[in-house]
Amino acid sequence: MNTELEQKVEALLGRMTLAQKIGQMVQTERMAIEPEQVKAFHIGSVLSGGGSCPGDNQVNDWVDMNDAYWMASMEEDDEHLAIPVLYGVDAVHGHNNVSGATIFPHNIGLGAARDEDLLNRIAQVTAKEILATGVDWTFAPTLAVARNNLWGRTYESYSEDPDIVGAYSGAFVDGLQGDLGDDAVVACVKHWVGDGGTTEGIDQGDTRISESELESVHIKPYYPAIDNGVLTVMASFNSWNGDKCHGHKYLLSYVLKERMSFNGFVISDWDGIDYLSENYFEAVAAGTNAGIDMFMVSEHWHHFIDHLTHHVVQGTVPMSRIDDAVRRILRVKFAFGLFEKPRPKARPWSNDQSFGSEAHRQIAREAVRKSLVLLKNEQQLLPLAKNQRILVAGKNADNIGHQCGGFTIAWQGTSGNEFVVGGTSIWQGIRDVAAGSVLSTNGTGEDADPALHDVAVVVIGEKPYAEGMGDIRTGDDVIVQAGSQIKGLLKVLEPYGDTLVLADLHPEDLQTITNITSRGVPVVTVMLSGRPLVTNQELSASTAFVAAWLPGSEGQGVADVLFGDHDFSGKLSFSWPRSDNRTSNIGDDDYRPLFAYGYGLSGNQVN
Ligand code: BGC
């Protein structure tokens, strides 16, 4: 406990009116609020939802936007106290909303790298790119321990193993927050808690497990983050044994705040309290009384303020709870040094040239190399030689958008090479080192010819998705009721597909491979995916097979390893399924995966 800091918090809290306190408890989306409203309603925080960006999405547009909100928050007069606004984004694999940012592999790939030092450096680079845009806070890292590959957010998870997630959680928080100096941003571990354990992997679904399993699998990775001083925690959309986490006083107020001594603040997820009751007025009290401190309200923040004010006046939310929430928010703002920082335009890292720089991209490229898992390598097909004549094919070969996956520029990601500025596709990376390589004319490999091509690299796999829209639902009825509304979309969401069997999910991929092998050219398959998939047919049709996850903007990292400049070193942090839509996890009773957790060949190994 830092006495000087606590005194500052108490002194400021003591000067605040109820309206000023409740305003601090509100976070809303940039589209829903003007700077003058931030002042008039004493708003504590503004965010960019997935894909939401100012102006032309250039670094200076972000700095200007942040500057305007900050200046409004800092005007002091009789009605308003100068309390700096905190701006939050989902920088979950680099500063992924912003044009020209360095995009790192999604967490699932980083899990295969097994390198805490790398995670720490990625977090430091991400912090610098965030600071370049005048932003203070990222909703990362995700500490989900994904236990079912059907879940659309599996790629946001480092591993099915809580030990890997735990080892990374401290390293990542340390990289983002450091010693809370000029090069720090505020970290946010999410989603508290059990998001990766829902039945059938349904996003925002119900995690039906005992308390001891909740503790040993899903809570465990939060300890290193709290030890490293993580300043914020996001509540989860999922339920635990039927009770929604957003209204769970035991999990929020007792386990997290009291037992685990978390002194920062809890933010809700996007309109996350709206599902606590049919009646929004009641939902506001339920979320506040359960222990949420700041509320992410996409649009209807006026109603939220009116309702919470009403509750305090009528006594259904005690003033002590409001004071506790605001104390926590102010504590974070003071601890982060926000009161001492100049306006965003005048901060040392704002508009910094290192944003998207070669030095940053080198770290992302290293991460790509280390995340690749070699599952099969017959006839010593790998490493390739740079003087070979190589046919490059497959729908994901020249598609940086697909390489990056969801949460890149747009919430659901993008397709093609036009939106992610500054990256390199896998094809471009191969072409740069192997002059004799060609891109298949229509991508499907029908132009394969053993007289012209010694070998083919076929890049296959999933297309981008995010959250519930990435779920795989195996029931007959693939259009299902999602756990809740997501980002203002209809409650009924169409999932990504109905099977984890790639040959059924994306038959075009196997077709491309066999178009080439049937013409007598051996194939190295590189699969992009947000989760392990059932790939028996593609594996047996390929001579070598690489799981590349969602590598991000630096496609050259794939060529670095395919051509043997660096060895394969990635090890599965998720068990690879054998033959059906079931996931098995390390430690399960009937554990019979095709490739066990920890599997991964090196390039000179033959298999
Ligand atoms: C996601 C969070 C994210 C938030 C803000 C929600 O839909 O569940 O992970 O931080 O949106 O964009």
Side-chain angles (χ1 to χ4, degrees):
M1 178 80 64
N2 175 337
T3 330
E4 199 189 321
L5 189 149
E6 294 302 319
Q7 283 167 354
K8 285 184 190 165
V9 170
E10 291 309 319
L12 181 52
L13 188 68
R15 294 170 58 209
M16 291 170 77
T17 63
L18 178 61
Q20 289 165 350
K21 290 176 182 175
I22 289 179
Q24 283 300 307
M25 294 170 69
V26 175
Q27 178 188 66
T28 190
E29 219 283 333
R30 50 173 284 281
M31 299 290 284
I33 195 149
E34 296 297 331
E36 37 298 2
Q37 293 172 301
V38 164
K39 180 185 176 195
F41 293 89
H42 322 288
I43 300 296
S45 178
V46 181
L47 89 150
S48 280
S52 174
C53 60
D56 296 328
N57 197 14
Q58 300 302 305
V59 170
N60 63 309
D61 294 319
W62 284 78
V63 174
D64 290 351
M65 170 189 70
N66 275 291
D67 202 64
Y69 283 128
W70 188 92
M71 292 298 276
S73 73
M74 291 304 278
E75 280 172 28
E76 177 137 354
D77 55 36
D78 290 349
E79 306 290 313
H80 184 69
L81 293 172
I83 301 179
V85 70
L86 197 60
Y87 199 95
V89 295
D90 289 300
V92 298
H93 62 145
H95 197 2
N96 42 248
N97 261 354
V98 185
S99 180
T102 306
I103 308 296
F104 291 89
H106 267 297
N107 290 349
I108 193 167
L110 300 181
R114 308 285 172 89
D115 186 337
E116 289 168 42
D117 171 68
L118 172 67
L119 265 282
N120 190 266
R121 287 183 286 130
I122 290 173
Q124 289 181 37
V125 166
T126 305
K128 298 222 170 76
E129 299 210 357
I130 293 169
L131 291 170
T133 60
V135 170
D136 315 293
W137 181 18
T138 174
F139 308 125
T142 299
L143 300 186
V145 180
R147 305 290 282 181
N148 193 323
N149 298 333
L150 300 173
W151 189 33
R153 304 190 81 159
T154 300
Y155 66 77
E156 294 184 63
S157 170
Y158 296 118
S159 178
E160 70 190 30
D161 177 0
D163 288 338
I164 293 186
V165 183
Y168 278 6
S169 105
F172 208 84
V173 168
D174 178 67
L176 290 176
Q177 293 193 172
D179 59 2
L180 297 173
D182 277 346
D183 49 5
V185 295
V186 176
C188 179
V189 284
K190 69 186 187 184
H191 309 82
W192 177 263
V193 61
D195 49 353
T198 61
T199 303
E200 297 292 322
I202 293 176
D203 190 43
Q204 312 189 0
D206 190 14
T207 297
R208 286 179 221 143
I209 54 176
S210 67
E211 181 157 8
S212 66
E213 188 176 341
L214 188 73
E215 175 66 41
S216 63
V217 176
H218 302 280
I219 293 181
K220 197 176 179 190
Y222 283 80
Y223 288 94
I226 292 176
D227 285 348
N228 277 278
V230 70
L231 290 170
T232 68
V233 174
M234 188 183 292
S236 190
F237 276 123
N238 67 275
S239 305
W240 177 40
N241 294 329
D243 294 321
K244 289 200 174 283
C245 289
H246 274 81
H248 216 297
K249 190 169 183 177
Y250 176 76
L251 290 175
L252 293 167
S253 294
Y254 175 66
V255 177
L256 178 64
K257 292 182 176 174
E258 210 176 308
R259 207 179 72 197
M260 295 171 74
S261 306
F262 171 64
N263 292 322
F265 71 80
V266 175
I267 172 111
S268 81
D269 203 338
W270 180 273
D271 296 334
I273 61 162
D274 297 29
Y275 312 100
L276 295 179
S277 166
E278 294 284 306
N279 174 333
Y280 190 53
F281 180 69
E282 281 170 17
V284 169
T288 315
N289 286 332
I292 291 171
D293 303 307
M294 185 183 275
F295 296 79
M296 191 189 288
V297 182
S298 65
E299 289 173 6
H300 46 283
W301 52 273
H302 274 114
H303 288 137
F304 176 84
I305 290 174
D306 289 349
H307 290 342
L308 188 52
T309 308
H310 211 98
H311 279 296
V312 176
V313 170
Q314 75 179 29
T316 33
V317 171
M319 195 61 202
S320 56
R321 179 71 268 277
I322 301 293
D323 283 343
D324 173 51
V326 178
R327 197 174 274 127
R328 286 168 177 275
I329 293 165
L330 296 178
R331 184 182 292 141
V332 167
K333 290 187 173 183
F334 277 115
F336 179 54
L338 201 57
F339 286 85
E340 281 86 52
K341 288 188 199 288
R343 59 192 289 183
K345 274 186 181 167
R347 293 183 191 167
W349 286 103
S350 286
N351 288 307
D352 196 75
Q353 293 299 316
S354 67
F355 180 91
S357 63
E358 189 49 33
H360 287 184
R361 290 178 188 280
Q362 283 299 336
I363 296 175
R365 182 170 171 174
E366 173 188 345
V368 175
R369 293 196 289 261
K370 291 181 170 172
S371 67
L372 304 178
V373 181
L374 180 58
L375 296 177
K376 178 179 180 181
N377 187 22
E378 280 180 359
Q379 299 158 26
Q380 283 180 299
L381 192 59
L382 292 175
L384 301 173
K386 291 176 184 165
N387 59 4
Q388 274 176 310
R389 298 166 307 162
I390 303 168
L391 177 69
V392 179
K395 67 172 189 270
N396 289 339
D398 190 25
N399 197 320
I400 303 177
H402 288 196
Q403 264 166 236
C404 290
F407 281 103
T408 315
I409 303 298
W411 178 42
Q412 293 293 326
T414 67
S415 187
N417 292 340
E418 132 192 32
F419 303 104
V420 179
V421 173
T424 304
S425 74
I426 293 174
W427 149 246
Q428 289 160 353
I430 293 173
R431 185 197 56 193
D432 286 352
V433 293
S437 52
V438 286
L439 189 62
S440 169
T441 38
N442 64 359
T444 58
E446 281 148 320
D447 44 351
D449 179 351
L452 299 173
H453 310 122
D454 302 316
V455 60
V457 174
V458 181
V459 190
I460 61 166
E462 292 182 319
K463 296 177 182 174
Y465 51 77
E467 301 188 36
M469 295 169 98
D471 283 1
I472 299 281
R473 305 282 162 77
T474 54
D476 294 342
D477 182 8
V478 294
I479 308 277
V480 291
Q481 180 95 10
S484 66
Q485 184 195 36
I486 303 177
K487 292 276 192 289
L489 296 170
L490 289 179
K491 281 197 175 196
V492 177
L493 290 180
E494 190 158 357
Y496 186 76
D498 61 1
T499 176
L500 287 173
V501 177
L502 183 62
D504 297 330
L505 191 63
H506 286 296
E508 71 279 9
D509 289 341
L510 184 59
Q511 187 62 54
T512 302
I513 297 170
T514 54
N515 282 343
I516 297 172
T517 53
S518 64
R519 289 171 168 84
V521 177
V523 164
V524 178
T525 294
V526 175
M527 184 172 86
L528 306 185
S529 69
R531 53 190 146 213
L533 294 166
V534 176
T535 47
N536 301 6
Q537 295 183 66
E538 295 79 3
L539 273 159
S540 63
S542 312
T543 306
F545 193 104
V546 179
W549 315 110
L550 299 168
S553 57
E554 305 313 302
Q556 314 100 307
V558 175
D560 289 344
V561 181
L562 288 182
F563 291 93
D565 290 337
H566 293 262
D567 198 5
F568 282 93
S569 60
K571 305 284 175 220
L572 289 180
S573 64
F574 283 86
S575 307
W576 201 272
R578 182 173 289 276
S579 59
D580 58 14
N581 285 309
R582 297 275 136 219
T583 304
S584 62
N585 294 301
I586 177 84
D588 285 357
D589 287 344
D590 184 21
Y591 184 62
R592 280 195 331 110
L594 184 63
F595 298 111
Y597 170 92
Y599 184 85
L601 301 169
S602 67
N604 43 30
Q605 242 174 311
V606 184
N607 168 274

